[in-house]
Amino acid sequence: MLRNTMLWLTKPRVVVLGTGWAGCYAARQLDPNLCTIQVISNRNHMVFTPLLPQTTTGTLEFRSVCEPITNIQPSLANPPHRFIRSVIYDVDFDKKLVQCVGVGVVGGSENVPVNTFSVEYDYLIMAYGALPNTFNIPGVEEKAFFLREVNEARGIRKRLVQNIMAADLPTTSSAEAKRLLHTVVVGGGPTGIEFAANLADFFREDIKKINAALLPHCKVTVLEAGEVLGSFDTALRKYGQRRLKELGVKIRKTAVVGVTDQEVFTKSGEVLPTGLVVWSTGVGSGPLTKALKCDKTTRGRISIDDHLRVLRDGTPIPNVFSAGDCAASNEKPLPTLAAVASRQGRYIGKEINNLLKGKQMSKPFVYRSLGSMASIGNRSAIVSLGQKFKIDVNGYMALWVWKSAYLTILGSIRSKLYVIVNWAGSQIFGRDITYIGDLSEDRKYSALAVEGVSREMRCKTVHQSPDPVKPGNNATSAMAEKAAPQTTPEQAPKDTQASKATAAVPAAALKSKG
C-alpha cells in the first residue's frame, strides 16, 4: 500500500477521458512505467463501431463488438493505475481538475446515490466522443434510435423483434402490419447503409422463421438529402446503390422535418408510416463540450492545433490534448471515422511518452487515408484502398477484404473468435431472432394483460345482463302487477302509520337499538 502511494506521488498523472477509439488507443500507447494512468468513462469497454450494425439483426452478438478496457491496457487492473466509471461534467484547466459524478447501483428505487468528486491530472487526454446530430428536428431525440453505442443497438434489435411479433398478432390489420414492418433509415453514410442492407437481408432470409406471410409487408427506406455513400467515388457509389435496390431498399433524396411515434415527415411533404426510425446523420457537440472553457470550432467541437493540443484564446493549454469525434481543427477538419480517432489516440500516447522522457514533441499529426469500406448486406461490399494504392473493389471479393480488415483490427483473440463464430453460425443456422424481455417489461405486460381481460369480462357481463322493465311495455307491466302482493284498504293505513312512527323515532334511539 505504501509503495503504491509513493508511486502515485512521484509519477506524473495522465488522465484519459473516454473509452472510444481515440481514448483506448491513447491508453494502450501510454507507458505505465513512466506515468500513472487513469481512464474515466461511463462505460468500461470499447465498442467496435464498424460491426455494430450487424448486432441489430442478430448476425453478431453484442459481446462480440465489446472489448474491456482492462484488456486494452492491462495495467489499469494494477494500482495505482485505475479505471473509474463516472460521468464527467466539467474540467478546470487552471487547477488541473476533472469534475466527475459517480453514480451508484441503479435498482428498483429512484433514490440512486450520486456523489461528485475531482480527479487531478498532470496530462489530460479528452477523447469522450460526441452525440448524434439531430439538427434540432422535432421528435428525433425522443422517437428515433441512434446507432453509436451497444445499448442503442440493443434498443433497435428489441424494437425490431417487437414490431415483428406485433405484426404477427391475429388482431393486427394489414395496414398496421405494413407500418410496423417499415423501417426508415435517415442518413446515407456507411453506418446507415450497412444497417439498412443488413436489415433487408434479415427480412429476406430470416423472416420466414416467424411467418413467411409477413415478408411482403417488410420494407426498408433510406432518406438522404445529399448523395448516398457520398464518401466513395462514382463507380463504387453506383454499385452500392444498385446493390441496395436489388435487396429491396428504397432510396429517397429528401430531408426530414419531423418524427413521431408512427410517422416520418419529409421536406417534400411526404408522410411515411413507420414502426422504427434509425438516425445516422453525423455527430454534434454534447453538454460537456459546451461547458468547457476552451476554443470551439464553427460546429461546436473542441478546437485543436496540429499537435492535437486544446486551444484557449488561440494558445495551446499546457499538457491538454483532445482527439476523436469531440475535437477538430478549423483549418484542417478530418472526417469522424474510427481510423482517424485511433491514429490520433496513438499519436497522443506517443507524444506524452516522449514528453515524460524529456524529449521534444515530434512532427504535427498528419492523417493519410488508407481507404474506406462498407458492407452491402452479407454477400457484397465496396472497398476503396485510398490514394496510395488506388484500388477499388466491389462484390463478394470486397466483402472478404472488409471482413479480413476488421478481423485484423479487432483488439484481442477473444473478440476475433467471437466474431468468427458468430459469422459462421449466422451463415449456417441463420440470424438469432430470440427475444428476451427484462423483468420490469414482463411484469408490465402481465399487468396490462390482466387489466385487458378484466375489462373484456366487464363488457361481456354488461351485454349479457337482462333488459330492465320498461314502463311502456304493457305485457311486462301486467305480469309485474300480478306478481306484486295485493294490499287491502285496511292494511294500508297501518303501513302508513308504521312508517310515520319510524320516521318520528330520534336517530340516537335507532342507533341504540342496534
Side-chain angles (χ1 to χ4, degrees):
M1 182 67 180
L2 180 61
R3 179 175 178 273
N4 291 337
T5 304
M6 293 300 296
L7 288 173
W8 177 274
L9 294 174
T10 56
K11 285 185 177 181
R13 296 157 296 187
V14 180
V15 176
V16 182
L17 307 184
T19 51
W21 285 83
C24 287
Y25 272 78
R28 184 169 69 177
Q29 197 67 40
L30 290 170
D31 187 348
N33 296 316
L34 299 174
C35 61
T36 298
I37 305 171
Q38 292 189 84
V39 177
I40 306 175
S41 176
N42 62 346
R43 69 182 190 199
N44 68 343
H45 58 273
M46 173 185 168
V47 179
F48 197 80
T49 49
L51 297 180
L52 197 57
Q54 295 197 1
T55 64
T56 61
T57 56
T59 304
L60 294 177
E61 283 303 316
F62 299 108
R63 69 175 66 185
S64 303
V65 299
C66 298
E67 189 68 35
I69 184 63
T70 49
N71 287 359
I72 297 171
Q73 177 51 274
S75 64
L76 291 173
N78 302 315
H81 313 288
R82 65 187 303 192
F83 166 78
I84 303 174
R85 184 178 181 271
S86 176
V87 176
I88 307 143
Y89 67 90
D90 200 3
V91 177
D92 190 327
F93 298 114
D94 297 321
K95 296 181 180 180
K96 294 188 175 182
L97 292 176
V98 178
Q99 308 290 346
C100 305
V101 177
V103 181
V105 178
V106 179
S109 173
E110 295 181 357
N111 298 321
V112 180
V114 176
N115 300 303
T116 60
F117 60 93
S118 301
V119 177
E120 298 180 2
Y121 69 85
D122 296 303
Y123 293 85
L124 179 64
I125 304 172
M126 296 192 295
Y128 50 81
L131 296 179
N133 193 350
T134 64
F135 302 99
N136 296 321
I137 296 174
V140 174
E141 187 73 33
E142 300 82 11
K143 307 301 180 183
F145 286 83
F146 305 108
L147 191 51
R148 295 177 59 84
E149 300 287 345
V150 171
N151 57 353
E152 294 168 346
R154 288 172 64 92
I156 292 173
R157 182 169 173 177
K158 182 177 180 180
R159 174 62 63 84
L160 178 63
V161 180
Q162 282 179 336
N163 287 349
I164 293 172
M165 293 189 297
D168 197 31
L169 290 173
T171 56
T172 303
S173 65
S174 177
E176 178 65 5
K178 289 181 180 179
R179 183 192 70 80
L180 288 168
L181 298 177
H182 180 205
T183 300
V184 175
V185 182
V186 184
T191 301
I193 293 304
E194 287 184 342
F195 168 74
N198 266 282
L199 182 57
D201 264 342
F202 169 76
F203 283 150
R204 288 158 58 96
E205 298 173 1
D206 296 281
I207 200 71
K208 58 187 177 183
K209 296 179 183 178
I210 302 174
N211 186 349
L214 296 176
L215 183 58
H217 300 322
C218 298
K219 188 168 66 170
V220 182
T221 301
V222 175
L223 304 181
E224 171 58 53
E227 193 72 32
V228 171
L229 297 172
S231 59
F232 294 87
D233 62 20
T234 305
L236 290 179
R237 192 186 313 146
K238 289 183 177 180
Y239 173 84
Q241 294 175 3
R242 184 172 68 252
R243 179 62 183 149
L244 287 170
K245 291 180 181 179
E246 292 173 358
L247 292 173
V249 178
K250 294 187 177 181
I251 301 174
R252 301 190 182 183
K253 192 171 183 179
T254 184
V256 175
V257 296
V259 177
T260 66
D261 282 328
Q262 301 184 1
E263 294 172 324
V264 174
F265 301 89
T266 67
K267 191 175 182 179
S268 59
E270 191 174 9
V271 180
L272 302 177
T274 180
L276 173 63
V277 180
V278 177
W279 194 268
S280 178
T281 59
V283 299
S285 59
L288 176 57
T289 302
K290 295 177 182 178
L292 293 176
K293 296 177 177 61
C294 62
D295 295 348
K296 312 290 172 54
T297 66
T298 54
R299 295 193 175 185
R301 298 162 71 184
I302 298 172
S303 183
I304 55 177
D305 65 1
D306 291 342
H307 289 86
L308 308 185
R309 295 173 296 188
V310 177
L311 300 176
R312 182 169 58 179
D313 299 328
T315 304
I317 302 175
N319 300 336
V320 178
F321 301 83
S322 188
D325 293 348
C326 65
S329 170
N330 275 322
E331 290 76 20
K332 300 176 182 178
L334 295 173
T336 54
L337 300 175
V340 175
S342 60
R343 292 184 208 176
Q344 286 179 331
R346 191 183 295 115
Y347 171 87
I348 293 175
K350 290 181 179 179
E351 289 299 302
I352 292 179
N353 287 339
N354 289 334
L355 292 174
L356 292 173
K357 294 176 183 178
K359 299 180 180 180
Q360 297 296 322
M361 295 194 72
S362 60
K363 296 179 180 180
F365 174 79
V366 177
Y367 172 72
R368 293 183 177 87
S369 175
L370 298 179
S372 53
M373 303 180 291
S375 65
I376 315 294
N378 63 352
R379 288 185 175 83
S380 63
I382 53 177
V383 176
S384 176
L385 297 182
Q387 299 177 352
K388 184 176 181 180
F389 301 102
K390 296 183 179 180
I391 298 176
D392 293 339
V393 187
N394 59 48
Y396 197 68
M397 181 181 294
L399 181 65
W400 279 103
V401 174
W402 181 87
K403 288 186 174 183
S404 301
Y406 284 137
L407 278 176
T408 304
I409 299 172
L410 279 170
S412 65
I413 296 177
R414 163 192 169 276
S415 297
K416 298 179 196 297
L417 288 176
Y418 271 140
V419 170
I420 291 173
V421 170
N422 286 165
W423 275 342
S426 298
Q427 288 291 327
I428 298 172
F429 306 109
R431 297 173 179 85
D432 182 14
I433 56 174
T434 304
Y435 178 79
I436 302 176
D438 53 39
L439 185 59
S440 60
E441 180 185 354
D442 293 341
R443 289 173 177 171
K444 181 179 179 181
Y445 284 159
S446 298
L448 289 174
V450 171
E451 181 183 347
V453 171
S454 300
R455 189 187 309 112
E456 188 73 19
M457 293 299 294
R458 288 196 299 270
C459 292
K460 287 183 179 180
T461 302
V462 171
H463 289 308
Q464 292 176 1
S465 61
D467 293 336
V469 177
K470 298 180 181 179
N473 192 331
N474 296 331
T476 306
S477 300
M479 292 176 63
E481 289 177 1
K482 289 182 180 180
Q486 300 297 321
T487 304
T488 61
E490 292 80 6
Q491 291 174 332
K494 293 181 181 179
D495 294 340
T496 304
Q497 291 174 3
S499 300
K500 290 180 179 180
T502 303
V505 177
L510 290 174
K511 288 183 180 179
S512 64
K513 291 181 180 179

